[in-house]
Amino acid sequence: MIVRGAPLIGVTAAYGLAIALDMNASDAALEAAVADLAATRPTAVNLRWALDRVARVVRPLGRSARADAAFQEADAIADEDVAASRAIGRHGAALLRELASARPAGEPLRVMTHCNAGWLATVDWGTALAPIYTLQAEGAAVHVWASETRPRNQGLLTEWELRQQGIPVTLVADNACGLLIARSEVDVVLVGSDRTVANGDVCNKIGTYLKALAAREHGVPFVVALPSSTLDLSIASGDAIPIEERAATELTSVPDIRVHNPAFDVTPARFVTKLVTERGVHDAEQGALARAFPELVR
Amino acid sequence: MIVRGAPLIGVTAAYGLAIALDMNASDAALEAAVADLAATRPTAVNLRWALDRVARVVRPLGRSARADAAFQEADAIADEDVAASRAIGRHGAALLRELASARPAGEPLRVMTHCNAGWLATVDWGTALAPIYTLQAEGAAVHVWASETRPRNQGLLTEWELRQQGIPVTLVADNACGLLIARSEVDVVLVGSDRTVANGDVCNKIGTYLKALAAREHGVPFVVALPSSTLDLSIASGDAIPIEERAATELTSVPDIRVHNPAFDVTPARFVTKLVTERGVHDAEQGALARAFPELVR
């Protein structure tokens, strides 16, 4: 958890593999490093995707060329992540601009987010927060509700990140999000994703689904921003996504308390108003992502 | 927050007024004590109800008789609270028994609760937890999901209380409740209430509404247990219930973070499968509570 955020996990794994190859570039060391790194986190598919991509490049090469090639590929992944974030910012901002135009004059667009999907979770810009930064650069007024995101409190990262950017932000308990949405204090819920699958089901930080339920109940758009590195078109629906179980100590330090601590949940596609990727805005429906990213369909 | 839980707040306020009258039983002191105590918490109606009840008894009396009469009335309120909790346990257990009969043989009934509505929140037994204690006394197997209940973590009180009673309990983050309900790991959601109004809308600890949304989506019964001291039939719908805003420090000790910290939310009656009071099991619909408690209709 020193590195967190699906895109950053992918990029860091790519560099990790390059560093491993710099120490030992044998076939056995390569496969062991891939396996070790892949086993660190089960849910965010970016990890597996980045490792596969670097491994595919270096496997055909001789030992002496592998580390350099791996660093080059990791650099490319990092650069592409920045470009994807900027493009998501541009496409997502178009959506937000439309919602902002329905607000009373002088009133900010009120965005609710969950966890942290900004530049702290990517190489730069972010996914869910990128459209907000784009909008801010245009001079539009935005206010963000950052939910605490128990048990690891990544909402405090979002609060900090947005405050550094000069964007008004209010921290709330995850539990408060239903009331806020019910009382018409939210214009859009905007989150990232750790894995989005073929039918548009979205796996993201635990608690995302509860926000989606409230958003749908009250007619508030629920938008997911994700780079294609987060797509897993090999899985038909969200039920098949492995959900990481994390330590009980994230909730309590009392040893004899029994804890269940799943780190992610799945929001079915029917709750998702729009998916935003680096290629544009998509409906969350079977086939839409495959049409937008045909090269990712195996 | 040294005293918490709607029923216990009411009983404690009654004794508080008796203690105040023991020190000074003048008309002015009486009305000042009622006003001071009533101003401590805005949402749980038990506070106002208990103060009104004691004040109504002592106002016609001479000064010298007031303190004793107040203590007597406070004792009565405390005794009635225990009786109401036991009756709620009995009526609620009938509901739970029916749900338990649908479970595979040997499998426990899986109850999800929120906040703490057990004997730590009442004089004895509790509201939401009373039916669980009744069921346990009959030898039935129950497992409880206790949600953390940020920002004050009363879920840890529930975990502790149930563990003292020997009831299997697992602590989860509030955020995990959507996933648990979606994955069919919950047979019933059972919570208390801080104020329930004429149309059956239920005000309870912040985050309750999110559980109700998930329960309805997945066909899981959502049951609210409450003594009549928690009823406010003078209010037509939940929108009119004042929601207490609590200190930012409950979420973070960083001073320059902007925080919104509402302590309660409202679950509309249409999400409530059944209301359990000391008089039985009621539908959460306009008029049902007034019919069950005609003496509370002004």
Side-chain angles (χ1 to χ4, degrees):
Chain A
M1 290 292 291
I2 292 170
V3 176
R4 49 151 296 282
L8 200 58
I9 286 171
V11 172
T12 307
Y15 281 111
L17 184 52
I19 291 169
L21 290 169
D22 197 35
M23 295 188 289
N24 184 345
S26 72
D27 285 0
L30 165 60
E31 301 310 331
V34 168
D36 283 355
L37 287 162
T40 51
R41 303 289 302 274
T43 300
V45 78
N46 309 59
L47 176 64
R48 189 75 238 180
W49 165 85
L51 290 169
D52 284 350
R53 182 167 152 179
V54 175
R56 234 183 354 256
V57 167
V58 302
R59 275 196 194 103
L61 304 178
R63 284 194 189 194
S64 60
R66 281 177 168 172
D68 280 355
F71 276 111
Q72 265 178 41
E73 194 65 19
D75 285 345
I77 291 173
D79 290 346
E80 288 169 28
D81 187 64
V82 177
S85 288
R86 294 206 71 158
I88 287 169
R90 211 163 50 238
H91 297 307
L95 263 185
L96 296 190
R97 222 175 282 127
E98 212 179 299
L99 295 168
S101 70
R103 293 282 294 147
E107 293 291 318
L109 181 72
R110 301 160 306 174
V111 181
M112 173 177 284
T113 191
H114 188 57
C115 198
N116 173 266
W119 42 256
L120 284 169
T122 58
V123 178
D124 205 355
W125 297 91
T127 55
L129 300 189
I132 296 170
Y133 294 139
T134 305
L135 218 61
Q136 181 199 30
E138 298 169 2
V142 183
H143 172 263
V144 177
W145 297 109
S147 61
E148 189 180 31
T149 315
R150 287 288 292 163
R152 293 208 59 120
N153 307 340
Q154 293 97 332
L156 287 160
L157 299 179
T158 292
E159 194 282 335
W160 181 86
E161 178 179 326
L162 290 170
R163 196 147 38 91
Q164 305 314 304
Q165 296 289 134
I167 292 175
V169 52
T170 302
L171 182 71
V172 293
D174 303 303
N175 279 329
C177 295
L179 181 72
L180 285 171
I181 291 172
R183 296 210 155 168
S184 305
E185 305 206 53
V186 179
D187 301 309
V188 58
V189 179
L190 180 54
V191 298
S193 171
D194 293 86
R195 194 185 304 208
T196 296
V197 299
N199 71 344
D201 287 356
V202 171
C203 183
N204 190 43
K205 180 54 39 65
I206 191 80
T208 300
Y209 177 41
L210 290 169
K211 287 182 170 63
L213 281 160
R216 195 190 55 171
E217 179 67 19
H218 297 280
V220 171
F222 182 88
V223 177
V224 182
L226 64 146
S228 60
S229 57
T230 311
L231 286 178
D232 184 356
L233 300 181
S234 74
I235 288 185
S237 92
D239 299 337
I241 300 172
I243 302 288
E244 180 175 8
E245 174 75 18
R246 294 189 53 86
T249 49
E250 290 188 348
L251 274 106
T252 174
S253 56
V254 180
D256 48 350
I257 293 183
R258 198 191 313 184
V259 170
H260 178 37
N261 183 20
F264 303 92
D265 64 20
V266 175
T267 297
R270 67 181 182 281
F271 290 88
V272 179
T273 312
K274 293 289 176 187
L275 294 163
V276 182
T277 72
E278 67 267 34
R279 294 207 183 146
V281 175
H282 321 275
D283 289 324
E285 58 181 36
Q286 181 61 43
L289 291 164
R291 281 192 300 276
F293 296 92
E295 75 278 22
L296 298 181
V297 181
R298 291 187 212 166
Chain B
M1 288 293 291
I2 291 169
V3 176
R4 49 151 294 283
L8 201 57
I9 286 171
V11 172
T12 307
Y15 281 111
L17 184 52
I19 291 167
L21 291 169
D22 197 35
M23 296 189 290
N24 184 347
S26 72
D27 286 358
L30 165 60
E31 301 310 330
V34 168
D36 282 356
L37 287 162
T40 52
R41 302 290 300 276
T43 301
V45 77
N46 308 59
L47 177 63
R48 189 74 239 182
W49 165 84
L51 290 169
D52 283 349
R53 183 167 151 178
V54 175
R56 232 180 358 252
V57 168
V58 302
R59 276 196 194 102
L61 303 178
R63 284 193 189 195
S64 61
R66 281 178 169 173
D68 281 354
F71 276 112
Q72 266 178 39
E73 194 64 20
D75 286 345
I77 291 173
D79 291 346
E80 289 169 28
D81 187 65
V82 177
S85 288
R86 293 205 72 160
I88 287 169
R90 214 164 47 240
H91 298 306
L95 263 185
L96 296 189
R97 222 176 281 127
E98 212 179 299
L99 295 167
S101 70
R103 294 281 295 147
E107 294 290 318
L109 181 72
R110 301 160 306 175
V111 181
M112 174 177 282
T113 191
H114 188 58
C115 198
N116 173 266
W119 41 257
L120 284 169
T122 58
V123 178
D124 205 355
W125 297 91
T127 55
L129 300 189
I132 296 171
Y133 294 140
T134 305
L135 219 61
Q136 181 199 31
E138 298 169 0
V142 183
H143 172 264
V144 178
W145 298 109
S147 60
E148 190 179 32
T149 315
R150 288 288 293 163
R152 293 207 59 118
N153 307 340
Q154 292 96 331
L156 287 160
L157 299 179
T158 292
E159 194 282 334
W160 181 86
E161 178 178 326
L162 290 170
R163 196 147 39 91
Q164 305 313 304
Q165 296 289 135
I167 293 174
V169 52
T170 303
L171 182 72
V172 294
D174 303 302
N175 279 329
C177 294
L179 181 73
L180 284 171
I181 291 172
R183 295 210 154 168
S184 304
E185 304 205 54
V186 179
D187 300 309
V188 58
V189 178
L190 180 53
V191 299
S193 171
D194 292 85
R195 192 184 304 209
T196 296
V197 299
N199 70 345
D201 287 356
V202 171
C203 183
N204 190 44
K205 179 54 38 64
I206 192 81
T208 300
Y209 178 41
L210 290 169
K211 287 181 171 64
L213 281 160
R216 194 189 58 171
E217 179 68 19
H218 297 280
V220 171
F222 182 88
V223 177
V224 182
L226 64 146
S228 60
S229 57
T230 310
L231 286 179
D232 184 355
L233 301 182
S234 75
I235 288 184
S237 92
D239 300 338
I241 300 172
I243 303 288
E244 180 175 5
E245 174 76 16
R246 293 189 55 85
T249 48
E250 290 188 348
L251 273 106
T252 174
S253 55
V254 181
D256 47 351
I257 293 183
R258 197 191 314 185
V259 170
H260 177 36
N261 184 21
F264 303 91
D265 64 20
V266 175
T267 297
R270 66 181 183 280
F271 291 88
V272 179
T273 312
K274 292 289 177 188
L275 295 163
V276 183
T277 72
E278 66 267 34
R279 294 206 183 148
V281 175
H282 320 274
D283 290 324
E285 58 182 33
Q286 181 61 43
L289 291 164
R291 280 192 300 278
F293 295 92
E295 74 278 21
L296 297 180
V297 181
R298 290 183 213 172

